[in-house]
Amino acid sequence: MPVVVLTKRAGPSTLGPAHLSRIPISLIKMNNEYSNKTVEGRVIHKGPLVSLQPGNYILKAVIQEHDSPPNASSEDTSINIVLLGPLATDFSSAVNQGDVVVASGFTVGKSPTFRKDKLHRCNLLLSGDACVYVSRPPPPPPDPTSLPAMKRSTVLSTEVSRSTKTTKYTYVRLNDLKVGSVVNVYGVVVFFKQPFRSRGTDFCSSLKITDQSNQKISCTIFCDKVDSHPKIFQIGDIVRMHRFKAQFFKDTIMLVNTFGFSVMAFDGAVGGAMEPRTSSRTYHFDQDDQRAVEELRLWAANQGLLPLVPTTPLSAVQPKTYFNLTCQLLAKAPVDSTCTLLRVWDGTRCPRSLLKVIVEPNVTEGPSSLSSAKENLIANVLVYDNHVEFARQLKLGAFLRIYNLRAIPGSSKVPGLTSSQSEEVDHLAFHLHGGTAYGRGIRLLPENSPDVQELKRVIEAFEEDEDKVPELNDSEMLDVWCTPPESLDGDTVTCSTERSCSHNIQPVTLSELKRSEPGRDHHVRVQLRSYEPLRLHQALKLYCSKCETMQDVPDDELVAELFSEASRYSGPCTPPQWALSGQVSVPRDSLGTPDRTLHVHLSTQLMSEGKSKELIFLMGATLEETCRLADGYQNIVPVRPSGGHLALLDLSAPFLFRGRKRYYGCKQCSEAALTEVSAEGVQVIDEKVIAEALGVQLLQFVLLMKLKLQDATDTLDVFLWRDAELFFNVSAEDVAADQEAQSSICHTVESLCPAEGSTGGRPWLDLCLTTYQAEDDQGQIQTCYQICHTTITTPSSTRPDPEPA
DNA sequence: GCTTAGGTTTTG
């Protein structure tokens, strides 16, 4: 009887055997005897089942004292529990995050992760005769007070354990549905609508799913309880559906729920959390299910079914498009009977100014004024018609995903009072139109979803930055704001740059500058006469801070060839001991290339920490496939077989894919070896952590340009390198990954140096230049100049000024 | 208790 599920919460004292006494988590110590004690807590983390050897599993979880004082430290209230053998499998299938459990028969060990997770210094080890009792919130009436507490737990307890006989479900492939039959199916979601109120008594939700048969099947779910509907967050999610009836509609077969139906949903990313999204209190979920989910995930990833951009941050929203937004609700206000205003943010800044909607302060729920920095990040979303009801129920601070939100530029009229920021301003309004077409709707995201965790990180980062602003001291402020506009021709001249250095020096002319001693900083007022490279993507370089060399970014064609070379070779290969490996075959394509197998290797250590999605090693994939998979994983390291073992690709190829970003290593300075990447003591597994673990000397993306400056007295060639990112207000890494960041640089440069014959003049630039001496190719000492501490402020709105005299 | 919707963009 290793794991016992009590379907009714009977009070802490009745959970677990009565002859044992409960010990608070804070009092647990090493070397004490706990055979007559129990520990009680809420499961706040449940790790995946990790296979030690065939049939033998380990599972880690964290429980937290649920009735501890709110100010108690996590060290006193939360403890790791480690379950071994059948207990692990039973726990995995019977216990959910959020459940309250009581454990007995445990032993106490030293927690190896204490420094990292700041939880209790000990952990609880459960194996053999240990026992876990689980309680769940009570189901709706019958009236629970009608039975004495002790009797209740006996009457209503059910046992979910390896000894319990459970119904074995069989699942039908989607191309094998027979009209009239009631079936169980698995599928990958390719389209979905959130539950919406039907004209009847129920809520209705729609899904379209597919599976390895490639058949696409529409499904309809009717149920009066929204919570029983599938919890789909994005395309690519996986669903398991029980008791659905196949029927004909419009010459095609589809599925509708029947009596006793149930639906479970899972994250669709390979290696993602195995935690089912379900409202069922008890459910069957075993290793076959786990395998079914993993198989579908791999298949879907390889089919490209996972969306490239599941949701769009406000910083990337394009006008006139429909997009999905993951955001936090800050305030709301009813506008009229068909429209409600939701004020939301995601911590990123939309480059367009956003529509300001003014509603009367006394109808607004939430803060009426926010810091102006925060205010600039807030998007006003107008939701209409059927969505108003849902919006009304939303609580402030909730994390939402809004599907099929429309970004409307410029002159759209909105109900209520629009501020003086009127139609000629290029602003964006966000509308959630009425209806459910294209899955339009709003979904509440649970706190533990990875997307919410990510959103919180971004928001926290913004709030930290905001706290820093007042630290700018007065003299710095004066220098930034009071640099007197020096005008060569006596008129006030608009300037497109802003210096942020603390030098208190007068500007000099270029001819004066050329006569002065090197090794000093200067301020100049100049125009941009020309620049190199003309093809701006060539300005992007890879720089090694160790050997101080710079190289070009390898082009896609070369990288693709390295990948296809690596994927063609398929000799025998033993994965390292720390890896858990899986494979998926890529069917022959229309060009008749032979079947290939993709191999995925995951670190068992990371898996046991619930971080399997954070890093995978991928073998046999093409560049394109790798890029596609990079959407589902935080980190992908491409590998190839070499001498019977796994090795990194040639370092001309990126050694790491993080979303759209690629990272390269220095061939000269790296001593690459495929070793396990440990997340010990690190917050985020990022490129630095991985590079270090793999012995790769990380190359840094940098921008390098040569600019020819001019003023009335002379011209001067200067470099833009060290402070290039500051100058353009972009990161080189973003430029490498993001077309928009590239075009922003192009526009900036073009506005500073308009093409011959164009009407725009050259704006004046206030620059801070540093001079230094360096050897040129021939070994000659030369004086060099670099632009420092300077940022372009208004490239597009600069008025043309007359040519210098 | 046996209906609801049946993807496919508001018209603010």
Side-chain angles (χ1 to χ4, degrees), chain A residues 39 58 94 297 418 520 539 647 746:
Chain A
V39 164
I58 183 171
R297 284 172 169 175
T418 306
R520 292 189 47 199
C746 290

Side-chain angles (χ1 to χ4, degrees), chain A residues 193-197 203-206 226 229-230 390 442-443:
Chain A
K193 278 185 182 183
Q194 299 299 338
F196 58 94
R197 206 180 275 289
F203 283 89
C204 173
S205 52
S206 291
V226 175
H229 284 256
F390 189 87
I442 305 176
R443 162 121 231 159

Side-chain angles (χ1 to χ4, degrees), chain A residues 483-711:
Chain A
T483 309
E486 295 286 329
S487 174
L488 296 174
D489 56 8
D491 291 323
T492 306
V493 175
T494 50
C495 191
S496 298
T497 55
E498 196 168 79
R499 281 190 298 254
S500 54
C501 56
S502 51
H503 309 124
N504 189 16
I505 45 179
Q506 289 298 310
V508 294
T509 63
L510 290 180
S511 70
E512 285 173 306
L513 172 62
K514 279 186 165 175
R515 291 196 299 270
S516 68
E517 289 291 311
R520 292 189 47 199
D521 293 324
H522 298 278
H523 287 178
V524 294
R525 167 159 287 192
V526 292
Q527 291 173 309
L528 180 57
R529 182 171 176 141
S530 63
Y531 56 89
E532 284 175 55
L534 285 175
R535 299 166 70 105
L536 281 165
H537 67 266
Q538 292 167 348
L540 194 66
K541 309 279 183 196
L542 291 167
Y543 174 69
C544 177
S545 57
K546 193 166 179 195
C547 61
E548 300 190 321
T549 57
M550 214 180 275
Q551 62 182 80
D552 287 319
V553 182
D555 64 37
D556 256 7
E557 218 171 307
L558 172 77
V559 174
E561 181 50 31
L562 287 169
F563 271 75
S564 77
E565 237 174 72
S567 73
R568 272 198 296 273
Y569 176 74
S570 59
C573 178
T574 326
Q577 286 201 325
W578 47 261
L580 189 72
S581 306
Q583 54 185 47
V584 60
S585 66
V586 183
R588 190 182 301 268
D589 66 19
S590 55
L591 299 171
T593 48
D595 288 1
R596 290 186 301 118
T597 308
L598 297 190
H599 296 262
V600 178
H601 307 281
L602 307 168
S603 150
T604 44
Q605 175 62 30
L606 293 181
M607 273 185 88
S608 70
E609 289 167 26
K611 291 180 173 167
S612 47
K613 205 179 157 184
E614 295 193 19
L615 173 63
I616 65 166
F617 298 87
L618 184 64
M619 185 168 88
T622 63
L623 174 63
E624 197 200 340
E625 285 160 350
T626 308
C627 293
R628 223 154 51 192
L629 283 167
D631 288 304
Y633 295 92
Q634 292 182 25
N635 297 290
I636 295 186
V637 174
V639 290
R640 68 187 162 89
S642 167
H645 296 283
L646 285 188
L648 294 181
L649 269 57
D650 181 281
L651 281 178
S652 303
F655 74 96
L656 172 67
F657 288 72
R658 274 173 70 75
R660 289 168 69 178
K661 294 186 177 169
R662 303 175 185 182
Y663 294 92
Y664 295 83
C666 178
K667 280 189 175 182
Q668 206 168 301
C669 303
S670 300
E671 287 175 17
L674 202 67
T675 48
E676 178 156 32
V677 176
S678 162
E680 189 90 29
V682 297
Q683 289 273 311
V684 184
I685 303 181
D686 61 12
E687 67 279 8
K688 293 193 186 76
V689 173
I690 293 171
E692 195 180 335
L694 300 177
V696 170
Q697 175 64 41
L698 189 63
L699 292 177
Q700 197 187 333
F701 282 106
V702 293
L703 292 165
L704 173 65
M705 293 187 74
K706 194 159 121 184
L707 309 179
K708 190 181 278 295
L709 308 178
Q710 65 180 21
D711 69 4

Side-chain angles (χ1 to χ4, degrees), chain A residues 253-273:
Chain A
I253 205 157
M254 49 93 60
L255 291 168
V256 185
N257 59 318
T258 63
F259 183 73
F261 85 99
S262 71
V263 188
M264 229 183 232
F266 302 85
D267 191 307
V270 185

